Amino acid sequence: MAVRENGSGGAKLRFPWDGFEEAYEGPSLTRYLLLLLFIGTAGSRTLGLDLGLAPGVSIKNVMLYAVASSIAIESAMHHNRRIELLPVILPFALLIAYAVFTWLYTILFLDNPYYFPRETLIRLKTKLVDQFLMLLVFFYGVVNWKEAFWLLKSLIWVIVLGCFVTVIDTFDVPDLGVISTRDSDGRVEGFIGSAQDFGGLLAFALPLVVALLWTESGGKKFAALCGVGLVLVSIMLSTSRGAIFGIVAGGIMAAVYLRRYISGPMMMRAAFAVVAFTLVATLFVFSTEFGYLLEERMTRGVATGDVETLSSGRTAIWSAALREMAEHPLSFISGLGWEAYFQTIGHRYATHSVYLDRFYNLGLIGLILFTYSFAGAAAIARRGLATVPTDRAPPFLLATVIGIAAFMIAMAFSDIHGAALYVWAMVGVALRIACSSPTHTDLFHADHGIARP
């Protein structure tokens, strides 16, 4: 594999095997099961079918566990999986193990009458274990880059379809009756039933939809063009300032991180296109009844300069939590125990920050493990740019890195635990593309008697 610098400072990838197709492995049924799982997870929230079969167990959980069991059985029988993705899986698994340890320690050794073991254990499963399983099943569920590429594009189209339903139902064209708005402020909750989660998910997905526009042709390219507009309008309807800031700041940070692979002119064209699309989407929303809500959310506290108003009360919540941690200095390292924030009287308000949630409950130990799992995923996707066996994949790996950066920033200002299910699913598929190519490239070269470049 040769990576040569182009004249504008970016790296242009060249592959000796460009134009060839891998034919040694046919399509599997698992990719269709994974697509059905993703659609079912989103659809259950959209249609209000997220029925609980038992405490902490819903229909989508059963689907997830069934697919995970199927992959595990297939791997045991055929030995066709190997341990991969350690920079992501290891810190994620350690995070879960440490959360379980603090949960056990709290119920066995601490006297907290407001701590409910079953409730907190269910939240551990929902906020950590289910997300981990989504990553594993979508990564190990496909075994070659061609299947992963098909699945990733399919998942992106599902997001676009979800935004289409959100937009037409919000504006009653026609009124489908499946998309809700928050009673407190009128924010659109999207197809996953939460305005903050919806905004966070779209902050991650927007770069991938742009990659779809970049790589498609004909009618699909026009549909992807409409998809970019639908995603931007949906973000405006969610009025999630964290998501909007995440897209801007995450895009800048990712551009610096990916500067070896993105030329200056490419960055300028991409930035111009995003700004143009955003202006059109903003003008469209301002021409509707949601324009006032968007304006109020975007300008809140700007005139007075009051930090608490500007942050919608977040700074007061964050400072109160940190003051309580200061009463127990060791908690800055170890945390106060899994879900201690929500199980302590006087701290029932949402943290409005995933990082504060991890820091308060699991300390620096949990916060570092949590952050490193996302950073590890971005690093693997970036490294995959040097080995992917097709020139169709790099735009999606670039978009995955940008999306992860945007999502990580958005998490600083919102409790977007629900969106992480979908994000880890799409990240898992993208990382399969990044990780599977070296092995499959070796097989291709061996079959054709070509020396490895």
Side-chain angles (χ1 to χ4, degrees):
M1 162 64 64
V3 179
R4 66 176 180 83
E5 299 293 328
N6 60 24
S8 54
K12 191 171 183 180
L13 306 180
R14 286 290 181 263
F15 309 97
W17 53 89
D18 279 349
F20 289 92
E21 296 289 341
E22 295 173 309
Y24 61 88
E25 209 163 39
S28 69
L29 179 63
T30 308
R31 64 177 181 175
Y32 298 105
L33 293 176
L34 293 174
L35 178 58
L36 180 62
L37 171 61
F38 193 87
I39 295 173
T41 302
S44 63
R45 296 294 299 273
T46 304
L47 301 176
L49 300 177
D50 196 16
L51 303 177
L53 305 178
V57 180
S58 62
I59 293 177
K60 71 170 183 280
N61 293 140
V62 173
M63 294 174 61
L64 173 60
Y65 305 150
V67 174
S69 299
S70 173
I71 294 173
I73 293 172
E74 181 187 1
S75 301
M77 292 178 60
H78 300 288
H79 302 286
N80 60 345
R81 305 293 195 281
R82 57 191 178 89
I83 298 177
E84 300 171 279
L85 216 64
L86 282 180
V88 181
I89 291 177
L90 185 58
F92 211 144
L94 289 175
L95 175 65
I96 294 173
Y98 184 67
V100 171
F101 169 76
T102 62
W103 176 79
L104 287 171
Y105 185 85
T106 301
I107 64 175
L108 293 177
F109 300 105
L110 299 183
D111 183 19
N112 185 349
Y114 303 103
Y115 197 85
F116 300 98
R118 189 178 76 165
E119 179 182 338
T120 50
L121 184 61
I122 290 174
R123 291 181 67 84
L124 193 154
K125 181 195 76 67
T126 302
K127 293 168 68 172
L128 291 181
V129 176
D130 286 353
Q131 295 177 20
F132 188 52
L133 283 177
M134 286 291 277
L135 168 66
L136 293 181
V137 299
F138 278 87
F139 179 76
Y140 286 105
V142 287
V143 295
N144 63 67
W145 72 265
K146 290 179 67 178
E147 288 198 338
F149 191 68
W150 178 90
L151 181 58
L152 181 59
K153 291 176 66 176
S154 299
L155 299 183
I156 299 170
W157 282 118
V158 171
I159 298 293
V160 171
L161 178 60
C163 291
F164 174 72
V165 172
T166 298
V167 172
I168 66 170
D169 195 24
T170 299
F171 295 111
D172 299 333
V173 192
D175 181 7
L176 303 176
V178 296
I179 301 300
S180 60
T181 57
R182 290 205 322 191
D183 295 333
S184 59
D185 54 16
R187 296 173 63 188
V188 175
E189 298 188 318
F191 61 88
I192 60 175
S194 166
Q196 290 182 334
D197 278 308
F198 187 48
L201 172 61
L202 297 186
F204 169 81
L206 177 61
L208 288 165
V209 181
V210 173
L212 198 65
L213 172 63
W214 190 352
T215 56
E216 294 288 12
S217 59
K220 289 184 178 180
K221 192 176 189 69
F222 176 76
L225 179 68
C226 295
V228 174
L230 289 168
V231 171
L232 285 169
V233 170
S234 297
I235 292 174
M236 301 296 176
L237 293 176
S238 74
T239 63
S240 173
R241 292 181 295 174
I244 295 172
F245 181 69
I247 292 170
V248 175
I252 295 172
M253 291 175 59
V256 174
Y257 184 57
L258 296 167
R259 61 190 180 278
R260 179 185 176 190
Y261 301 98
I262 305 177
S263 66
M266 182 189 298
M267 282 191 284
M268 293 298 295
R269 288 196 301 269
F272 177 79
V274 170
V275 170
F277 269 104
T278 303
L279 286 175
V280 173
T282 303
L283 290 174
F284 172 78
V285 174
F286 269 108
S287 68
T288 70
E289 60 187 282
F290 290 91
Y292 172 77
L293 175 61
L294 180 61
E295 180 183 8
E296 191 277 331
R297 289 277 302 170
M298 294 299 108
T299 60
R300 180 181 297 171
V302 174
T304 63
D306 180 63
V307 176
E308 186 170 338
T309 304
L310 187 64
S311 66
S312 299
R314 284 173 172 81
T315 53
I317 295 172
W318 297 344
S319 59
L322 293 174
R323 281 196 301 270
E324 178 158 333
M325 292 182 70
E327 297 176 4
H328 310 276
L330 187 59
S331 67
F332 287 103
I333 304 297
S334 63
L336 291 169
W338 174 252
E339 286 299 279
Y341 182 88
F342 287 104
Q343 297 298 316
T344 303
I345 193 168
H347 291 278
R348 300 293 185 180
Y349 294 105
T351 58
H352 291 288
S353 173
V354 178
Y355 297 112
L356 179 62
D357 179 87
R358 296 291 182 267
F359 187 46
Y360 186 98
N361 296 322
L362 303 176
L364 275 175
I365 296 174
L367 182 60
I368 290 172
L369 291 172
F370 174 76
T371 305
Y372 192 79
S373 61
F374 280 97
I380 291 173
R382 182 178 182 269
R383 287 200 298 270
L385 289 167
T387 57
V388 284
T390 172
D391 57 3
R392 293 177 293 169
F396 292 93
L397 294 184
L398 291 170
T400 298
V401 176
I402 298 171
I404 289 174
F407 188 70
M408 290 183 71
I409 293 173
M411 284 192 294
F413 306 100
S414 305
D415 291 303
I416 48 180
H417 304 288
L421 274 177
Y422 307 92
V423 169
W424 279 120
M426 300 178 78
V427 167
V429 181
L431 295 185
R432 167 51 65 200
I433 298 174
C435 292
S436 64
S437 49
T439 298
H440 290 184
T441 303
D442 291 339
L443 289 173
F444 177 84
H445 282 77
D447 289 343
H448 293 77
I450 303 174
R452 177 82 174 150

